[in-house]
Amino acid sequence: MVRATELNGSYGPLLGSDEDLSRLRRHWVDAAAAAVNTTSSASGQYHCPAGWSGPAEESVLRKAGDWKRRHRDAKPSGDKQHWNRSGTWPRTRSLNAPSPIQQFGPCGRIMKNSAMVMTIQDPASQRLTWYKPPLTVLVIKKVRDASVLQPFVQLVKWLIEEKRMVVFVEQSVMDDPLLLNNSSFSVVKEKLMTFRDGKDDLTDKIDFIICLGGDGTLLYASLLFQQSVPPVMAFHLGSLGFLTPFEFENFQEQVTNVLEGHAALTLRSRLRCIIMRKGDECGSNLLTSSSSSSSSSSSGGKQRQGPPSPTNLLVLNEVVIDRGPSPYLSNIDLFLDGKHITSVQGDGLIVSTPTGSTAYAVAAGASMIHPSVPAIMVTPICPHSLSFRPIVVPAGVELKIKLNCDARSTACVSFDGRHQQQLRVGDSLRVTTSIYPVPSICAQDQISDWFDSLAECLHWNVRKRQKHLDELSDLTHSSSNDTLDSLEHTDQLDS
């Protein structure tokens, strides 16, 4: 039987042929597909469908045996984790996307899985583990919503008194007049730590994030952490809740399970978006966060009025380039890894993550992509061409978007609906997948959570059930070979 043993890194499976071919056929799906099929597709040499049998299976076994004999006596220099399953040195990046970092905040990381193939994991293997107990938690609540106040007070009080955790909240939350009049909140108010968005740096201060509200709270958490993001647990207390899988009723049990490390993760990739202004030297705007962008802009030659807009951001949903208030069509050139792909003439363009594919992009006609798929979705907004359909490109490419030299007006750029800026002729927007994903904690698992959200929030593929033929009394006497003419002739005879 072909058997994939658990080895460290990408050293590869051990392949054996001590069982007869008939037993191989019975276990082909769970054994050969996991070992030989994965190895072959990763090396790009051959691909073996699970339904092969007879000579095809013998051919696969023969190739697998050749591979084993070829590498059995290989002695790679250094650690065996640096030796690729194809017998060559490993790539510096994944086959499909930049390798995301696997540490989230000071405490959280992905549980190491010895069966990982290069950097591409089975989503079911992505589970949270803490290598030291989490001590600090950031609680983000939906603003201007009185229904969230009571759950917020219950949660922070329980975290402080029962879990002995240090709780951070935004300063604007403390100034909420409805909370100031809450007697339960006054008991814990003095024990809360506060921060101001754009002024205080939370990097390496937060171990764990809890969101109370809708999808906007998760987007805000992504905005606050422009590098490594602590694990995020989102409770559904908003309107839609596509990204918030947890119900608040039994929050104590659910939070305790997560703090004990019993949780699956969905790594939601983000896009690194950099605006290069005309005349800027290459790399002059490659800042690490919006705060550093602000300080860099303010120290420049000319002083701008008001806070400068960030030129380097990570977005969780999408970056949108549109015509803004202009009455003219957008005229945008799209490049992929330096190659001119097409020119967009229409209302604009949406560049989205798989997470963002179910947001603005799906409303513009794009397909829905599971968040674990390494990809970038490019969707035109009302294109002036009937053949311009949305496309999916590999996550590892770099997109460059700039105005065509014949554009009649400027374009507007927004990042997850915020920080709108103008794009002029000569400016360019560069987009690629970031190495810093958002580790979103699952209520069940990666697959169940996503399809439950599709069904409950978007009512995906909901329609009335087609009746069985037995339920249609006027058609029970007909057969599949009957034509409309013959049925009409029968009705005339009956009448």
Side-chain angles (χ1 to χ4, degrees), residues 251-329:
F251 75 91
Q252 297 94 335
E253 178 184 352
Q254 297 181 91
V255 174
T256 299
N257 285 336
V258 171
L259 293 178
E260 292 176 352
H262 307 305
L265 282 179
T266 295
L267 296 186
R268 300 185 179 275
S269 62
R270 295 192 288 178
L271 298 178
R272 169 71 70 182
C273 305
I274 303 169
I275 292 183
M276 305 295 293
R277 296 298 180 184
K278 182 180 181 180
D280 284 349
E281 295 182 1
C282 183
S284 62
N285 282 338
L286 301 186
L287 309 176
T288 57
S289 66
S290 60
S291 59
S292 59
S293 172
S294 299
S295 61
S296 174
S297 301
S298 61
S299 61
K302 292 185 179 180
Q303 193 73 18
R304 297 185 180 180
Q305 297 294 328
S309 300
T311 56
N312 185 332
L313 278 175
L314 298 188
V315 298
L316 178 59
N317 266 355
E318 72 276 305
V319 54
V320 178
I321 308 94
D322 58 39
R323 61 190 179 93
S326 171
Y328 300 110
L329 288 176

Side-chain angles (χ1 to χ4, degrees), residues 25 127 152 263 277 283 298 365 369 381:
R25 292 192 184 99
R127 299 192 64 83
F152 170 75
R277 296 298 180 184
S298 61
I369 306 176
I381 306 173

Side-chain angles (χ1 to χ4, degrees), residues 196-489:
R196 294 184 183 275
D197 183 15
K199 295 183 178 180
D200 299 322
D201 185 12
L202 295 177
T203 304
D204 295 331
K205 294 182 180 179
I206 304 298
D207 301 331
F208 180 39
I209 301 175
I210 297 179
C211 295
L212 302 177
D215 295 347
T217 57
L218 191 64
L219 294 175
Y220 184 59
S222 170
L223 178 65
L224 289 176
F225 294 86
Q226 289 292 293
Q227 292 187 19
S228 178
V229 185
V232 183
M233 184 178 188
F235 286 93
H236 175 41
L237 294 170
S239 302
L240 188 63
F242 193 92
L243 305 179
T244 54
F246 289 92
E247 298 294 337
F248 192 76
E249 283 72 17
N250 57 336
F251 75 91
Q252 297 94 335
E253 178 184 352
Q254 297 181 91
V255 174
T256 299
N257 285 336
V258 171
L259 293 178
E260 292 176 352
H262 307 305
L265 282 179
T266 295
L267 296 186
R268 300 185 179 275
S269 62
R270 295 192 288 178
L271 298 178
R272 169 71 70 182
C273 305
I274 303 169
I275 292 183
M276 305 295 293
R277 296 298 180 184
K278 182 180 181 180
D280 284 349
E281 295 182 1
C282 183
S284 62
N285 282 338
L286 301 186
L287 309 176
T288 57
S289 66
S290 60
S291 59
S292 59
S293 172
S294 299
S295 61
S296 174
S297 301
S298 61
S299 61
K302 292 185 179 180
Q303 193 73 18
R304 297 185 180 180
Q305 297 294 328
S309 300
T311 56
N312 185 332
L313 278 175
L314 298 188
V315 298
L316 178 59
N317 266 355
E318 72 276 305
V319 54
V320 178
I321 308 94
D322 58 39
R323 61 190 179 93
S326 171
Y328 300 110
L329 288 176
S330 293
N331 194 347
I332 303 168
D333 290 335
L334 176 63
F335 298 81
L336 191 151
D337 282 345
K339 175 181 173 58
H340 181 261
I341 300 301
T342 189
S343 293
V344 182
Q345 297 185 86
D347 281 353
L349 193 67
I350 304 169
V351 181
S352 60
T353 64
T355 295
S357 70
T358 51
Y360 192 1
V362 75
S367 296
M368 296 180 290
I369 306 176
H370 189 277
S372 295
V373 176
I376 299 176
M377 171 73 76
V378 180
T379 307
I381 306 173
C382 299
H384 208 247
S385 168
L386 295 178
S387 60
F388 194 173
R389 307 306 305 159
I391 59 173
V392 179
V393 298
V397 304
E398 182 187 62
L399 298 174
K400 184 173 74 171
I401 300 159
K402 58 189 300 184
L403 286 182
N404 189 282
C405 58
D406 296 329
R408 295 187 178 185
S409 64
T410 61
C412 291
V413 184
S414 60
F415 309 89
D416 277 345
R418 296 171 176 253
H419 303 295
Q420 190 176 72
Q421 300 183 54
Q422 278 195 330
L423 202 65
R424 299 176 176 84
V425 174
D427 299 341
S428 65
L429 170 66
R430 301 188 180 188
V431 182
T432 190
T433 302
S434 169
I435 63 172
Y436 299 106
V438 173
S440 176
I441 298 174
C442 303
Q444 301 176 68
D445 56 68
Q446 295 87 345
I447 303 301
S448 299
D449 282 10
W450 193 65
F451 279 99
D452 286 350
S453 292
L454 288 182
E456 296 173 11
C457 301
L458 301 184
H459 302 290
W460 177 61
N461 197 29
V462 173
R463 72 177 298 273
K464 290 184 177 181
R465 184 182 64 86
Q466 186 181 42
K467 292 182 178 180
H468 190 271
L469 288 178
D470 292 340
E471 301 178 70
L472 303 175
S473 57
D474 57 333
L475 293 180
T476 53
H477 64 280
S478 66
S479 67
S480 59
N481 296 325
D482 289 336
T483 64
L484 291 177
D485 292 339
S486 62
L487 289 175
E488 290 177 357
H489 181 67

